[in-house]
């Protein structure tokens, strides 16, 4: 039987209060040196299941997750440079955070730490990952040679040398570190479980349900987008409005979806995606009674990444679709804004303007002249 006491004393800080669970100097900094010895320990015990389990439990779980992120970095870098395809991290985007949060739950189970809270985190993360993985798969993201169209724009703009540097610094390294770091609030929740025990708190109930609702919003937004583009493709082939979809000719001529959730937000799926990880961060804040802690940095970095990514997406959309700039003025980027105006009024406005011109023309013909001032 494996003795867990020496392992746990080496792996976790002795926290006595909830605010201490979010203290970076107490719960993170002292354990970072474990990262240097981790590869050597794994290699030394590679043929022993019990030895690997001892290494796993005697290493701080945050450090183990960080080590895995650093291991993935050269892997995706080499694969992307060989294939000149920079969507390698994109393929892992919906999978890696699930692995990290499942790792924290597994570590807690093996170490005998209360796990109800971590099981809830793992459950909603698995739902998040399943939704995103399915949507990426059906769009062809896992097909050989598939690549995010935006990387081609970046490649053409930067050139090979700058693209290689971008790949090393941002695509392979920074994105892998970001996917690790957005799950770090789960580490805070793991530590807080040692203080509060296995009873679920009010915050556990609120934030787990909130994340579940946000995943549902993402699912419906993705499905509405999928339905629209399916109808648009059929419309392009037949020049007839598909009867099995509830879209008008004007909506399909527009070229981009402006109905359902997309009539309130230009990117409802992106809004909910950011909300998931902000909610996890806030979950850790409220549970640790800190309200602001070091996990703010990765959560904020995630928001910045989506701001930059959405900026490029909208820049390309505005060039491709004539009405997109009108859409930008009428509908909020992520959250609904005051004065949101449906794109459906474009048709009614155009009809009204046309009617006014026709009435004026008829009036001129009836009188035979216009009054001059």
């Amino acid at each position: 039987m494996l003795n867990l006491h020496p392992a746990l004393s080496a792996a976790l800080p002795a926290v006595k209060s909830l605010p201490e669970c979010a203290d970076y100097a107490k719960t993170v900094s002292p354990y970072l040196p474990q990262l240097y010895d981790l590869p050597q320990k794994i290699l030394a015990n590679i043929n022993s299941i019990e030895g690997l389990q001892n290494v796993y439990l005697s290493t701080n779980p945050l450090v183990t997750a960080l080590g895995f992120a650093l291991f993935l970095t050269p892997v995706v870098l080499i694969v992307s440079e060989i294939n000149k395809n920079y969507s390698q991290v994109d393929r892992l985007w919906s999978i890696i955070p699930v692995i990290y949060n499942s790792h924290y739950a597994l570590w807690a189970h093996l170490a005998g730490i209360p796990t109800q809270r971590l099981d809830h985190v793992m459950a909603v993360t698995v739902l998040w990952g399943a939704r995103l993985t399915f949507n990426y798969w059906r769009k062809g993201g896992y097909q050989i040679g598939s690549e995010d169209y935006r990387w081609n724009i970046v490649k053409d703009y930067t050139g090979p040398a700058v693209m290689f540097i971008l790949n090393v610094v941002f695509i392979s390294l920074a994105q892998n570190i970001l996917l690790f770091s957005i799950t770090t609030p789960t580490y805070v929740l793991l530590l807080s479980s040692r203080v509060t025990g296995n009873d679920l708190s009010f915050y556990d109930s609120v934030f787990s349900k909130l994340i579940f609702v946000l995943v549902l919003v993402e699912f419906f937004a993705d499905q509405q987008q999928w339905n629209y583009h399916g109808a648009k493709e059929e419309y392009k082939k037949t020049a007839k409005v598909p009867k099995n979809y509830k879209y008008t000719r004007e909506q399909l001529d527009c070229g981009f979806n402006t109905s359902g959730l997309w009539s309130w937000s230009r990117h409802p799926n992106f809004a909910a995606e950011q909300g998931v990880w902000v909610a996890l961060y806030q979950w850790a804040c409220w549970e640790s009674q800190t309200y602001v802690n070091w996990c703010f940095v990765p959560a904020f970095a995630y928001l910045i990444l989506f701001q930059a990514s959405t900026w490029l997406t909208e820049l390309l959309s505005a060039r491709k679709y004539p009405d997109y700039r009108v859409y930008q003025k009428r509908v909020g980027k992520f959250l609904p804004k005051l004065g949101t105006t449906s794109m459906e009024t474009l048709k009614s406005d155009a009809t009204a303007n046309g009617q006014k011109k026709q009435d004026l023309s008829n009036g001129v013909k009836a009188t035979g002249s216009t009054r001059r001032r």
Side-chain angles (χ1 to χ4, degrees):
M1 184 70 179
L2 188 65
N3 186 3
L4 297 178
H5 293 292
L8 291 181
S9 62
L12 289 183
V15 289
K16 298 179 180 179
S17 66
L18 288 173
E20 283 186 344
C21 298
D23 185 347
Y24 183 89
K26 184 178 182 64
T27 63
V28 179
S29 294
Y31 299 95
L32 291 178
Q34 292 183 348
L35 186 65
Y36 307 125
D37 299 328
L38 185 58
Q40 183 179 353
K41 289 181 178 179
I42 293 175
L43 289 175
N45 294 274
I46 196 67
N47 295 319
S48 170
I49 298 298
E50 185 173 320
L52 289 175
Q53 185 178 356
N54 184 65
V55 171
Y56 184 64
L57 289 173
S58 62
T59 304
N60 181 274
L62 185 75
V63 172
T64 306
L66 176 58
F68 184 70
L70 294 175
F71 167 77
L72 281 179
T73 296
V75 174
V76 297
L77 175 63
I78 293 170
V79 172
S80 62
E81 285 299 324
I82 291 175
N83 297 306
K84 293 302 176 184
N85 185 315
Y86 298 97
S87 280
Q88 307 308 319
V89 178
D90 297 338
R91 290 181 172 87
L92 300 174
W93 198 275
S94 61
I95 300 171
I96 297 178
V98 178
I99 292 175
Y100 291 137
N101 278 343
S102 299
H103 148 68
Y104 289 120
L106 173 63
W107 196 95
H109 275 280
L110 293 175
I113 293 174
T115 59
Q116 276 209 72
R117 178 174 296 128
L118 298 175
D119 289 341
H120 277 65
V121 174
M122 181 178 67
V124 292
T125 307
V126 168
L127 289 175
W128 167 87
R131 188 243 14 129
L132 188 55
T133 301
F134 169 72
N135 195 56
Y136 192 72
W137 166 79
R138 69 175 174 178
K139 291 164 65 177
Y142 294 110
Q143 293 179 359
I144 297 175
S146 173
E147 184 179 33
D148 191 319
Y149 70 96
R150 290 170 294 188
W151 289 129
N152 287 322
I153 304 296
V154 176
K155 281 188 286 187
D156 293 340
Y157 181 78
T158 60
V162 176
M163 192 66 195
F164 174 74
I165 297 173
L166 182 66
N167 190 14
V168 173
V169 175
F170 174 71
I171 301 175
S172 298
L173 177 60
Q175 287 193 125
N176 261 306
I177 296 300
L178 179 62
L179 291 175
F180 148 74
S181 62
I182 59 173
T183 64
T184 53
T186 310
Y187 173 64
V188 176
L189 293 174
L190 184 153
L191 295 176
S192 67
S193 294
R194 298 189 74 192
V195 177
T196 61
N198 222 7
D199 294 332
L200 295 178
S201 69
F202 170 76
Y203 304 119
D204 294 324
S205 177
V206 168
F207 284 106
S208 60
K209 289 180 174 62
L210 174 59
I211 293 175
F212 177 72
V213 169
L214 290 169
V215 172
L216 282 180
V217 171
E218 289 184 284
F219 173 80
F220 284 112
D222 288 340
Q223 190 60 44
Q224 289 172 2
Q225 188 79 320
W226 179 260
N227 292 342
Y228 176 82
H229 284 285
K232 190 174 76 168
E233 288 302 313
E234 190 173 334
Y235 176 60
K236 285 181 178 179
K237 294 177 182 178
T238 64
K240 296 180 180 179
V241 177
K243 294 182 179 180
N244 53 327
Y245 293 98
K246 297 180 180 180
Y247 297 106
T248 64
R249 186 177 298 275
E250 289 74 21
Q251 287 175 323
L252 296 174
D253 285 336
C254 192
F256 54 92
N257 191 15
T258 60
S259 60
L261 292 171
W262 301 80
S263 65
W264 295 97
S265 167
R266 303 201 299 271
H267 305 280
N269 51 349
F270 289 177
E273 169 69 14
Q274 295 169 85
V276 166
W277 299 106
V278 170
L280 181 62
Y281 161 65
Q282 283 295 306
W283 190 350
C285 286
W286 285 88
E287 199 60 53
S288 63
Q289 299 179 356
T290 52
Y291 311 119
V292 177
N293 59 51
W294 61 273
C295 296
F296 168 81
V297 176
F300 184 71
Y302 202 71
L303 299 182
I304 295 298
L305 176 64
F306 267 81
Q307 287 289 340
S309 174
T310 305
W311 171 83
L312 179 57
T313 300
E314 294 212 319
L315 180 66
L316 299 175
S317 296
R319 292 176 179 175
K320 185 176 182 180
Y321 304 114
D323 291 333
Y324 199 82
R325 294 191 186 279
V326 178
Y327 184 51
Q328 288 175 306
K329 293 179 181 178
R330 294 184 171 208
V331 179
K333 180 187 290 186
F334 296 123
L335 301 176
K337 64 179 181 179
L338 294 175
T340 297
T341 307
S342 171
M343 290 293 286
E344 299 305 307
T345 60
L346 277 177
K347 178 184 175 182
S348 60
D349 291 346
T351 302
N353 290 334
Q355 186 64 43
K356 287 180 180 179
K357 291 180 180 179
Q358 184 64 37
D359 292 343
L360 179 60
S361 176
N362 292 338
V364 171
K365 290 179 180 179
T367 58
S369 63
T370 57
R371 182 176 297 178
R372 294 184 179 179
R373 297 192 178 188

